[in-house]
Amino acid sequence: MEMEPSPKFTELLCQAKEAHLKGNLDLAISEYTELLKSNATADLHCLLGWAHCLNGNFSDAIKQCKLAIELDANFGNAYNDLACYLIYEKRFDAAIPWLEKAIQLENYTGKHLSYYNLGRVYEKRGMWMHAKSYYEFSVSFSPEYKRANVALYKVYAYLN
């Protein structure tokens, strides 16, 4: 049974997220790092990874996702985020297994994101039919996901 975080922890987490969203990434990174000392969670590692990514530090972002996966192998966001950071580094082949793992997870509700990102990888590689298939999967999981819809129409236009 997981323990509920203390009110103080929750307050500090809200402050860290606020700094993050306002673009004060150094402060957010410092605060997330401090929070991890008292309550290491997969979600918190991913938040720290995201802040590192936005700060241009993909190596530490990837490291945080791997730590999240060590804590919770069923946390789909960590796989998807890790793959996104690899995509930013143009390491497309390295991103594929992480995205495939994410879509295999039973309780991952963000599968549309991983399908979309697989579509991006295959589009970057010029594999248009694969890209089309993955964008279609993304839209089938989340019809309102605009990025996947736009990407799908772009691929349709290319193929016509």
Side-chain angles (χ1 to χ4, degrees):
M1 181 164 92
E2 279 188 34
M3 293 186 58
E4 286 291 318
S6 70
K8 182 67 175 169
F9 179 88
T10 303
E11 178 185 337
L12 292 172
L13 180 59
C14 287
Q15 289 174 5
K17 286 180 177 180
E18 185 176 334
H20 187 158
L21 294 174
K22 287 183 175 179
N24 193 343
L25 298 173
D26 291 331
L27 177 60
I29 288 168
S30 174
E31 290 179 345
Y32 288 143
T33 301
E34 195 60 34
L35 288 166
L36 279 166
K37 292 177 184 175
S38 65
N39 190 11
T41 66
D43 189 44
L44 193 48
H45 277 291
C46 281
L47 287 168
L48 177 55
W50 181 29
H52 279 303
C53 167
L54 293 175
N55 228 11
N57 187 343
F58 297 113
S59 176
D60 281 346
I62 290 167
K63 177 182 170 188
Q64 290 304 316
C65 289
K66 288 181 177 179
L67 290 169
I69 291 166
E70 285 179 23
L71 282 175
D72 184 354
N74 292 310
F75 190 60
N77 291 11
Y79 296 93
N80 187 71
D81 291 358
L82 193 159
C84 285
Y85 306 146
L86 292 169
I87 292 168
Y88 292 142
E89 292 185 318
K90 299 188 184 334
R91 296 169 54 196
F92 305 120
D93 289 340
I96 293 171
W98 296 104
L99 294 167
E100 288 176 343
K101 176 65 178 170
I103 59 178
Q104 291 171 6
L105 296 172
E106 280 187 39
N107 295 321
Y108 179 41
T109 58
K111 288 183 184 187
H112 65 287
L113 299 170
S114 296
Y115 280 118
Y116 166 75
N117 286 318
L118 275 165
R120 288 175 55 209
V121 166
Y122 287 113
E123 183 178 346
K124 296 281 187 190
R125 294 171 75 195
M127 300 174 73
W128 300 102
M129 295 304 290
H130 279 75
K132 176 178 130 350
S133 294
Y134 284 110
Y135 290 145
E136 287 172 340
F137 280 127
S138 180
V139 170
S140 74
F141 274 89
S142 183
E144 72 285 347
Y145 187 47
K146 290 185 192 234
R147 287 183 174 186
N149 280 294
V150 168
L152 182 57
Y153 289 119
K154 179 179 162 187
V155 170
Y156 284 159
Y158 180 82
L159 292 172
N160 282 330

